[in-house]
């Protein structure tokens, strides 16, 4: 009898243990939905903004680069402080407040009547975006059981990828069907509102906030242990900044592909989606460096093909390669940042990789606009391929050993 009771207890304990180790819990799913809405509202506008600035304000490509980079610069400024705030204060409240501000600022696009006003609104919008991405990803990590964290971080990025797969296509389709940018701005506003409402219902386990005052140091705003990985990420995100912001106008002006940008982003995103699923399984087995290595090589092949061949087949094939590459590479690097941080530095680790990404994105947008305006499309996209090659060499020559020497247990 006692043996039977013990066995039943073991079974019950096993069931409880299994429940505790569930990856797809309700709060994790809510964080993913909020992230999807955040990036959907972002990407539904991204490929069309250069066209909007040209049609509405007759802005040249150099000015486009400056205006669009304001968003990234603002996000960059707020990222390090976001990590500190998320690690210091109630993460749920920080997330809700920042998401609300992100949502409400979409009204600024609707009312902006001049290029200067649009640039100001776009720059201000980067502040809550930078904070929300740090807060939401940190909240998502908090909802994960420690045994499923590597895998969960990999799957979390699927919400970005799904948004990237559908948002540009839907945005471009609506624009071609209505020729109405105001409708797109309103749609982005409503989607952001849904995201805000979703994350507001997330419930997190109680976290004891440390009240002792520590001296302010750089490591509270940026994970200094990860500096070389950050340099590596900057190389990769410069390429992304050039590609994501100028691929629509390149396809239209050079390849005469008027409706193909949505397809480009969809192919790229399905590549991201497929590699995230496969890569998450590998990450669950601890194959972080293997994922990163595969990702940087596939991305290099994609950017090189895009720059070398001005043909529609290369345009679409490169999207698949870049998607597959980044889908392997970014979650692996995020795991590397997390493994270099203490548990009370998760927000800082998240903000550090995003800060590095923003630095590269901003440089890529500005450099891409300059190269397009004063040299050629070929120069801009070859610049992206060269930076990806530099990042690939850096990863194999130094970053792998750097990570292995510094990772925490």
């Amino acid at each position: 009898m006692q043996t039977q009771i013990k066995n039943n207890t073991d079974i019950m304990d096993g069931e409880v243990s299994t429940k505790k180790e569930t990856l797809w819990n309700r709060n994790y799913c809510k964080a993913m939905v909020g992230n999807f809405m955040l990036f959907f509202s972002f990407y539904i506008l991204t490929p069309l903004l250069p066209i909007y600035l040209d049609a509405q304000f007759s802005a040249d490509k150099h000015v486009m680069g400056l205006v669009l980079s304001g968003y990234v610069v603002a996000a960059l400024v707020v990222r390090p402080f976001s990590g500190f705030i998320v690690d210091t204060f109630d993460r749920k409240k920080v997330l809700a407040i920042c998401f609300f501000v992100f949502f409400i600022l979409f009204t600024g696009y609707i009312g902006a009547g001049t290029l200067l006003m649009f640039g100001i609104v776009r720059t201000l919008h980067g502040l809550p975006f930078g904070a929300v991405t740090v807060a939401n990803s940190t909240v998502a990590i908090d909802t994960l059981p420690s045994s499923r964290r590597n895998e969960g971080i990999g799957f979390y990025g699927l919400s970005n990828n799904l948004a990237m797969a559908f948002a540009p296509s839907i945005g471009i389709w609506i624009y071609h069907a209505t020729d109405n940018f105001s409708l797109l701005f309103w749609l982005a506003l409503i989607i952001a509102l849904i995201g805000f409402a979703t994350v507001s219902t997330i419930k997190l386990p109680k976290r004891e906030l440390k009240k002792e005052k520590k001296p302010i140091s750089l490591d509270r705003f940026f994970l200094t242990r990860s500096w070389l990985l950050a340099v590596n990420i900057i190389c990769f995100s410069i390429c992304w900044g050039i590609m994501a912001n100028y691929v629509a106008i390149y396809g239209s002006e050079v390849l005469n592909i008027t409706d193909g940008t949505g397809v480009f982003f969809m192919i790229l995103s399905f590549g991201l989606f497929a590699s995230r699923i496969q890569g998450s399984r590998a990450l669950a087995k601890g194959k972080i460096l293997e994922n990163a290595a595969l990702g940087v090589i596939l991305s290099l092949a994609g950017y090189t093909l895009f720059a070398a061949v001005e043909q529609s087949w290369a345009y679409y094939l490169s999207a698949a390669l870049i998607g597959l590459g980044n889908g392997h590479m970014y979650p692996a690097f995020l795991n590397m940042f997390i493994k270099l941080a203490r548990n009370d530095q998760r927000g800082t680790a998240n903000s550090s990789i995003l800060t590095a990404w923003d630095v590269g994105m901003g440089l890529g947008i500005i450099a891409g606009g300059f190269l397009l305006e004063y040299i050629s499309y070929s120069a801009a996209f070859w610049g992206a391929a060269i930076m990806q090659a530099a990042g690939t060499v850096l990863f194999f020559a130094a970053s792998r050993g750097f990570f292995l020497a510094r990772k925490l247990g």
Side-chain angles (χ1 to χ4, degrees):
M1 183 68 175
Q2 288 180 344
T3 303
Q4 185 177 352
I5 293 172
K6 183 178 184 300
N7 289 339
N8 289 340
T9 304
D10 288 344
I11 291 170
M12 290 173 64
D13 288 344
E15 289 173 351
V16 172
S17 176
T18 301
K19 273 191 174 181
K20 287 182 179 178
E21 297 303 306
T22 298
L23 174 63
W24 300 101
N25 64 76
R26 181 178 299 178
N27 292 305
Y28 176 68
C29 291
K30 286 179 180 179
M32 288 191 68
V33 170
N35 196 52
F36 173 81
M37 296 300 175
L38 175 78
F39 280 91
F40 196 101
S41 62
F42 175 77
Y43 278 114
I44 200 171
L45 301 178
T46 297
L48 290 166
L49 287 181
I51 298 172
Y52 175 74
L53 294 177
D54 179 47
Q56 189 74 11
F57 305 113
S58 300
D60 62 36
K61 294 180 181 65
H62 185 215
V63 173
M64 285 180 197
L66 291 174
V67 171
L68 296 177
S69 66
Y71 190 94
V72 180
V73 171
L76 168 63
V77 169
V78 79
R79 294 277 201 209
F81 301 101
S82 301
F84 171 73
I85 292 169
V86 164
D87 283 336
T88 306
F89 300 101
D90 185 285
R91 287 171 179 167
K92 165 73 180 299
K93 290 180 181 177
V94 172
L95 172 60
I97 292 169
C98 294
F99 213 127
F100 177 79
V101 178
F102 172 79
F103 141 70
I104 207 68
L105 275 174
F106 275 107
T107 58
Y109 296 120
I110 301 166
T114 66
L115 181 61
L116 176 61
M117 183 59 67
F118 186 92
I120 291 172
V121 171
R122 184 68 177 167
T123 301
L124 288 175
H125 208 182
L127 296 173
F129 178 79
V132 170
T133 48
V134 172
N136 201 65
S137 59
T138 307
V139 164
I141 292 170
D142 282 349
T143 65
L144 291 167
S146 58
S147 63
R148 308 294 295 274
R149 192 165 293 142
N150 287 1
E151 186 181 4
I153 289 171
F155 277 122
Y156 175 77
L158 291 177
S159 52
N160 303 14
N161 304 151
L162 284 172
M164 192 187 298
F166 295 107
S169 303
I170 291 172
I172 290 167
W173 181 82
I174 291 172
Y175 169 68
H176 284 302
T178 65
D179 196 26
N180 188 339
F181 278 104
S182 293
L183 178 61
L184 287 167
F185 294 142
W186 277 107
L187 183 58
L189 175 74
I190 293 168
I191 293 166
L193 174 60
I194 296 170
F196 164 70
T198 302
V199 301
S200 297
T201 63
I202 293 175
K203 294 181 180 179
L204 291 178
K206 288 186 178 181
R207 181 174 64 97
E208 186 177 348
L209 300 176
K210 294 187 176 182
K211 297 181 180 179
E212 68 267 20
K213 293 183 178 179
K214 296 180 180 179
I216 298 297
S217 62
L218 178 61
D219 201 47
R220 300 188 73 182
F221 302 100
F222 183 83
L223 193 65
T224 54
R225 290 173 56 83
S226 67
W227 70 268
L228 186 59
L229 299 183
V231 173
N232 221 157
I233 284 291
I234 289 171
C235 294
F236 298 139
S237 59
I238 286 175
C239 315
W240 190 263
I242 295 172
M243 176 69 66
N245 286 273
Y246 300 110
V247 67
I249 201 165
Y250 165 76
S252 176
E253 293 187 359
V254 176
L255 300 179
N256 295 318
I257 301 174
T258 54
D259 298 324
T261 306
V263 178
F264 177 93
F265 276 102
M266 187 167 288
I267 292 172
L268 185 146
S269 299
F270 281 128
L272 285 165
F273 189 85
S275 58
R276 289 266 188 174
I277 292 176
Q278 191 277 327
S280 292
R281 294 169 184 163
L283 289 173
K285 298 175 182 177
K287 296 181 179 180
I288 296 175
L289 291 175
E290 292 86 345
N291 259 279
L294 178 60
V296 299
I297 291 171
L298 286 171
S299 295
L300 177 59
Y303 284 113
T304 303
L305 177 64
F306 192 94
V309 183
E310 289 187 0
Q311 299 288 335
S312 57
W313 67 266
Y315 180 81
Y316 293 121
L317 179 57
S318 64
L321 291 171
I322 293 168
L324 288 168
N326 276 270
H328 281 290
M329 178 184 68
Y330 189 86
F333 268 86
L334 178 55
N335 267 287
M336 289 160 72
F337 272 78
I338 296 294
K339 287 186 178 299
L340 292 182
R342 302 188 308 268
N343 287 343
D344 63 339
Q345 289 182 308
R346 286 178 191 163
T348 304
N350 270 294
S351 69
S352 296
I353 187 172
L354 290 169
T355 297
W357 187 264
D358 286 343
V359 169
M361 276 280 287
L363 291 173
I365 293 170
I366 294 171
F370 181 87
L371 291 170
L372 262 61
E373 181 70 20
Y374 297 108
I375 305 179
S376 66
Y377 283 101
S378 179
F381 294 122
W382 270 115
I386 290 169
M387 286 307 304
Q388 180 68 33
T392 302
V393 171
L394 179 61
F395 172 76
F396 284 105
S399 294
R400 289 192 303 177
F402 178 91
F403 167 69
L404 291 172
R406 288 166 174 77
K407 69 174 182 177
L408 301 179

